[in-house]
């Protein structure tokens, strides 16, 4: 069975500082990986996804993530955060065939001025 | 192109009542997924449907919960005889009828409160 671990439940950073949100997964098959963002009282919006090819994936709002197969990780990074990035971030995995997404517990990113 | 629509956005029920949550997928999407988000937790898969078919219901509780996606109309998640533990946000997602790993587009969710 697949699982996703987001190592930090909360990450506070100062505005314009860099940030990394960590995500590790376990799966016995090839996987597809996703990062979603959830703003307060809203649904989930896709930030980026890895299906195949280049291990560095660029997404919306200046975010990027790197797929590391040997470390089974898919960490999300942004070089300079803004107040508007305050939200909950979810890492998710799918084995493609099963279609369903398996989500991590989420990381709450708080940006301090 | 309208996104995934869910209604109602907020639903309050007393214990023992029935809750019906509706989801209209994006235009052209024939795959629908339901997820549940309990307070302070991530989303948990419940069920995956295509038109008139349940493809995967491995995440559905064995009792009181059912889902359908009829040929015409929205997908419905039905919870009978609700209990306080059913209080959660229920999200619907949809994807187009193509191969696996297509992006799932999420609706705004229905927040169910059971009194």
């Amino acid at each position: 069975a697949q699982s996703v671990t987001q190592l930090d439940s909360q990450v506070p950073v100062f505005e314009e500082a860099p940030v990394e949100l960590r995500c590790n997964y376990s799966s016995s098959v090839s996987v597809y990986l996703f990062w979603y963002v959830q703003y307060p009282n809203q649904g989930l919006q896709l930030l980026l996804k890895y299906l195949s090819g280049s291990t560095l994936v660029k997404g919306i709002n200046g975010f990027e993530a790197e797929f590391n197969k040997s470390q089974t990780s898919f960490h999300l990074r942004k070089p300079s955060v803004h107040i508007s990035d305050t939200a909950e971030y979810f890492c998710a995995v799918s084995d493609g065939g099963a279609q369903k997404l398996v989500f991590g517990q989420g990381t709450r990113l708080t940006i301090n001025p | 192109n309208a996104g995934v629509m869910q209604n109602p956005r907020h639903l309050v029920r007393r214990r023992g009542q029935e809750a019906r949550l509706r989801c209209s997928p994006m235009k052209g999407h024939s795959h629908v997924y339901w997820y549940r988000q309990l307070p302070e937790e991530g989303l948990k898969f419940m069920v995956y449907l295509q038109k008139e078919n349940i493809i995967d219901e491995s995440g559905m509780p064995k009792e009181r919960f059912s889902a359908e996606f009829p040929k015409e109309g929205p997908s419905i998640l039905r919870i009978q005889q609700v209990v306080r533990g059913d209080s959660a946000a229920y999200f619907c997602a949809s994807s187009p009828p193509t191969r696996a790993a297509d992006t799932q587009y999420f609706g705004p969710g229905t927040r169910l409160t059971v009194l």
Side-chain angles (χ1 to χ4, degrees):
Chain A
Q2 299 167 315
S3 67
V4 176
T5 302
Q6 290 184 243
L7 296 159
D8 306 295
S9 60
Q10 296 189 57
V11 173
V13 294
F14 288 105
E15 194 172 15
E16 297 184 8
V19 69
E20 179 179 79
L21 305 183
R22 296 180 292 170
C23 172
N24 286 89
Y25 69 92
S26 67
S27 176
S28 59
V29 299
S30 297
V31 295
Y32 305 114
L33 294 153
F34 306 80
W35 275 98
Y36 282 85
V37 59
Q38 184 181 31
Y39 298 104
N41 297 315
Q42 294 187 28
L44 275 70
Q45 180 182 4
L46 180 71
L47 276 178
L48 48 78
K49 62 183 177 183
Y50 171 79
L51 303 182
S52 64
S54 173
T55 56
L56 184 62
V57 181
K58 293 191 183 296
I60 62 171
N61 301 342
F63 284 93
E64 63 180 32
E66 184 152 20
F67 170 59
N68 188 320
K69 187 174 182 179
S70 62
Q71 297 187 5
T72 60
S73 67
F74 191 55
H75 300 333
L76 181 71
R77 293 191 287 261
K78 185 170 182 177
S80 175
V81 295
H82 189 266
I83 289 283
S84 60
D85 293 322
T86 296
E88 190 97 18
Y89 291 79
F90 292 97
C91 181
V93 64
S94 164
D95 70 3
Q99 294 282 7
K100 64 185 179 186
L101 294 172
V102 175
F103 284 87
Q105 296 290 90
T107 297
R108 185 161 297 169
L109 178 62
T110 305
I111 312 299
N112 299 308
Chain B
N1 188 11
V4 177
M5 300 179 69
Q6 291 187 249
N7 66 80
R9 294 290 307 274
H10 299 275
L11 182 61
V12 179
R13 286 286 178 266
R14 296 189 180 281
R15 282 179 295 172
Q17 292 184 318
E18 178 179 287
R20 281 186 181 239
L21 289 62
R22 295 175 186 75
C23 169
S24 296
M26 288 179 70
K27 187 176 181 181
H29 287 192
S30 58
H31 297 196
V32 165
Y33 314 80
W34 285 93
Y35 294 84
R36 176 166 64 175
Q37 184 179 32
L38 294 169
E40 305 301 318
E41 292 188 18
L43 281 75
K44 296 285 196 296
F45 169 79
M46 299 181 76
V47 62
Y48 163 38
L49 309 104
Q50 296 178 16
K51 286 282 187 181
E52 300 184 281
N53 284 304
I54 297 175
I55 307 302
D56 181 355
E57 56 180 348
S58 58
M60 286 280 270
K62 294 288 185 284
E63 297 176 346
R64 303 186 297 109
F65 285 72
S66 62
E68 63 177 8
F69 188 17
K71 188 176 180 181
E72 301 290 338
S75 175
I76 306 286
L77 179 67
R78 181 183 178 205
I79 311 172
Q80 296 178 290
Q81 300 176 338
V82 295
V83 300
R84 288 224 173 103
D86 297 332
S87 294
Y90 293 82
F91 290 96
C92 168
S94 72
S95 67
T98 55
R99 291 179 61 82
D102 274 302
T103 299
Q104 294 182 21
Y105 295 86
F106 283 79
T110 293
R111 279 155 182 82
L112 172 65
T113 301
V114 179
L115 301 178

